[in-house]
Amino acid sequence: MIFERRIIPDLMKLDTQKEYINIQEIENRRFMYSPKEKALILGVQYPNDAPLISSHAEELADAGITNNYDSYVRGWVGTGKEYPAGVIHFAPNVVPQNASLMERAFDTIEMFKDNGALPDTVIRGFGRTWERKFSDIFTYN
């Protein structure tokens, strides 16, 4: 049985095989996703004007994950004034020369599609094109 998790401002650890979220409810948060483990970590939601006080690595450790850091695809996800349909920004950028990361990043994009990414959601830092819409990659019915 799969159930929806409400977005909270605290650190969140989700099993995407059992839980889903609506990324349209996220303002601007770090994400870390392991396609192999199906684990999605959403970093703390800071107010827009607040300085960041942790890193991807610290938030992953705070979620209880202390190894295999490099197996997680990392970046930022959320919605806002410039991106009303949302944005998924990979950090570091995913380049075609890194086939393993490219495959994991594509799995990450599919996971976000299952979790509320819209056709106009923007993907940044993926492949040869800096910025593209979801609908450039996926067909929506």
Side-chain angles (χ1 to χ4, degrees), residues 28-29 47 63 78 94 97 115 125:
N28 184 23
R29 296 173 82 154
V94 177
Q97 295 84 348
N115 285 275

Side-chain angles (χ1 to χ4, degrees), residues 49-69:
D49 57 350
L52 297 177
I53 57 174
S54 66
S55 67
H56 277 102
E58 291 169 312
E59 288 183 334
L60 198 60
D62 289 346
I65 301 166
T66 57
N67 54 18
N68 298 323
Y69 175 74

Side-chain angles (χ1 to χ4, degrees), residues 24 78-87 120-122 124 130-131:
Q24 300 305 309
T79 59
K81 291 181 235 173
E82 294 179 39
Y83 300 101
V87 62
D120 287 340
T121 298
V122 172
R124 295 177 76 188
W130 169 245
E131 191 172 281

Side-chain angles (χ1 to χ4, degrees), residues 8-12 29-32 41-45 59:
I8 60 171
D10 300 327
L11 184 75
M12 295 181 71
R29 296 173 82 154
R30 287 186 181 99
F31 76 82
M32 293 141 284
I41 312 302
L42 292 175
V44 173
Q45 176 69 59
E59 288 183 334

Side-chain angles (χ1 to χ4, degrees), residues 55-113:
S55 67
H56 277 102
E58 291 169 312
E59 288 183 334
L60 198 60
D62 289 346
I65 301 166
T66 57
N67 54 18
N68 298 323
Y69 175 74
D70 287 330
S71 69
Y72 282 78
V73 178
R74 300 178 298 279
W76 295 85
V77 62
T79 59
K81 291 181 235 173
E82 294 179 39
Y83 300 101
V87 62
I88 299 163
H89 182 144
F90 289 98
N93 293 346
V94 177
V95 295
Q97 295 84 348
N98 187 337
S100 172
L101 179 58
M102 197 71 180
E103 183 178 321
R104 288 182 287 128
F106 188 82
D107 291 344
T108 302
I109 293 169
E110 285 183 313
M111 178 275 301
F112 280 125
K113 182 178 187 280

